[in-house]
Amino acid sequence: MINKKNLLFEFLRMVFLLAAVSIIAFLLITKAPIDPLTAYVGTESTLSQEAKDEIAEYWGLNDPLPERFMTWLNHALHGDLGTSITYKKPVSQVIMERFSYSFGLMAAAWVLSGILGFILGILCGLYQGSILDRGGKLFCLAVKSAPAFWLGLLILMFFSVYLGWFPIGMAVPMGKLASEVTLWDRIHHMILPALTLTVVSMSEVVLYTRQKLVEIMNSDFILYARIRGENQFQLVIRHVLRNIALPAVTLQFASFSELFGGMALAENVFAYPGIGTATTAAAMNADVPLLLGISVFSALFVFAGNLIANLLYGVFDPRIREGR
């Protein structure tokens, strides 16, 4: 069983994390050089100064920063994250609508990056020093160093522009009614963004799995198993997989932060209407309520991934569960 004290500690840590994220995000957003009133009415607006003052009063833009933050915090604790200046909708509604698109994208990339990264890591570890191993490590290091949006642009240019196999962007075909959009249409538009996120996210799993496998294959109990006559396949199935699978799973859960960050860049490249594009639009319009809501939501999302990883370590490793 999971230690209740540890759960209480994680809950308190989450509360402090959300408080810190909220305060820092609020200060950074409000001090940004973009004026939210100008972004709302437009630079060439013909509204009178009185009308602009009324808008600023409605959004609370003239109040002192501490008062604005406490007002937002009071409403947030009651489930009201405010109204988005960009989309003219409640922030919670915007986040849920956009996250419904992002969730499928992240889920597909998370599963594919874990499976493909695990398999490639095993192959690189088993054939250590081979062309496959060197090529795999070079690929992972190159992908790890390259920006996600740059990889997305390369994938977009090759598969959409040159080959014409996939649409250039969006989540559904343009010009189609919502009732006419099929499941295949959604999957077809999601393939390239999911492929980009998969390539970006799988490098850590590959390198970790490879290193772990190499260490296990050089251990004493593997040597003893070889002496008993077990072949390579038996060694991997009986001894190696059980020692590297669970740490790889926990590592995959801990990678939520990178997945969330990469998703924001990939969605903007492919004009995918998820949380990432909503974040960019909110930043360009100085949409404080939406940016604060997305910041808190992303912190919760990343914290959930790290918490699951910590709990899995405790479940699968008795030494951690017992506090040793």
Side-chain angles (χ1 to χ4, degrees):
M1 294 180 62
I2 304 301
N3 195 324
K4 293 182 179 180
K5 292 183 179 180
N6 292 338
L7 287 178
L8 178 61
F9 173 77
E10 293 294 339
F11 176 77
L12 294 176
R13 193 161 69 93
M14 180 189 69
V15 172
F16 284 114
L17 172 67
L18 293 180
V21 168
S22 301
I23 294 173
I24 295 174
F26 182 83
L27 292 176
L28 292 176
I29 295 168
T30 53
K31 294 299 182 181
I34 301 176
D35 181 18
L37 180 60
T38 303
Y40 180 75
V41 301
T43 55
E44 299 179 358
S45 173
T46 57
L47 288 177
S48 63
Q49 187 60 41
E50 290 77 9
K52 293 181 180 180
D53 293 338
E54 289 182 4
I55 295 174
E57 183 67 25
Y58 175 79
W59 292 108
L61 299 178
N62 295 327
D63 298 334
L65 288 183
E67 183 178 344
R68 290 170 60 185
F69 177 76
M70 294 307 299
T71 301
W72 174 85
L73 181 61
N74 181 48
H75 286 84
L77 292 176
H78 289 84
D80 181 14
L81 295 176
T83 303
S84 170
I85 298 175
T86 305
Y87 297 98
K88 314 299 187 297
K89 295 179 180 179
V91 170
S92 56
Q93 180 181 346
V94 175
I95 292 177
M96 289 301 102
E97 289 177 354
R98 292 306 183 108
F99 187 68
S100 63
Y101 287 98
S102 298
F103 179 77
L105 181 62
M106 288 189 296
W110 187 79
V111 172
L112 288 175
S113 64
I115 295 175
L116 295 179
F118 187 69
I119 294 175
L120 183 57
I122 291 176
L123 294 176
C124 291
L126 289 177
Y127 299 99
Q128 182 182 7
S130 64
I131 297 178
L132 174 64
D133 181 34
R134 295 176 182 177
K137 288 192 296 183
L138 179 62
F139 171 79
C140 291
L141 294 175
V143 167
K144 192 67 177 175
S145 305
F149 71 89
W150 182 76
L151 292 174
L153 287 174
L154 291 182
I155 291 175
L156 182 67
M157 289 171 55
F158 183 75
F159 289 102
S160 295
V161 178
Y162 294 150
L163 298 180
W165 291 354
F166 299 97
I168 293 180
M170 307 298 291
V172 294
M174 294 183 62
K176 265 193 176 184
L177 297 176
S179 58
E180 298 176 351
V181 177
T182 63
L183 179 61
W184 168 245
D185 290 332
R186 298 182 183 277
I187 295 176
H188 194 213
H189 281 73
M190 191 177 67
I191 289 177
L192 290 188
L195 176 62
T196 302
L197 283 179
T198 299
V199 173
V200 170
S201 305
M202 65 183 294
S203 58
E204 284 191 2
V205 181
V206 173
L207 296 175
Y208 176 83
T209 303
R210 176 198 174 276
Q211 184 62 31
K212 193 70 176 176
L213 187 142
V214 171
E215 293 176 0
I216 293 175
M217 293 299 290
N218 293 328
S219 60
D220 293 336
F221 74 91
I222 292 294
L223 177 60
Y224 176 70
R226 290 183 187 275
I227 294 175
R228 290 192 307 172
E230 296 187 24
N231 56 35
Q232 189 86 327
F233 180 78
Q234 292 173 328
L235 290 174
V236 173
I237 297 299
R238 294 178 181 179
H239 307 289
V240 175
L241 286 182
R242 66 178 65 182
N243 285 282
I244 64 175
L246 298 180
V249 170
T250 53
L251 176 67
Q252 189 69 355
F253 274 103
S255 66
F256 274 17
S257 58
E258 293 188 6
L259 183 63
F260 200 94
M263 175 202 65
L265 297 174
E267 285 183 355
N268 281 281
V269 171
F270 294 95
Y272 200 81
I275 289 288
T277 51
T279 304
T280 303
M284 295 299 294
N285 295 322
D287 192 342
V288 177
L290 183 55
L291 284 174
L292 281 174
I294 293 176
S295 299
V296 173
F297 179 80
S298 61
L300 276 174
F301 183 82
V302 173
F303 181 85
N306 293 332
L307 178 61
I308 294 174
N310 292 336
L311 294 179
L312 286 178
Y313 273 121
V315 170
F316 299 130
D317 193 336
R319 296 170 299 178
I320 297 177
R321 184 170 65 248
E322 296 171 5
R324 297 204 299 267

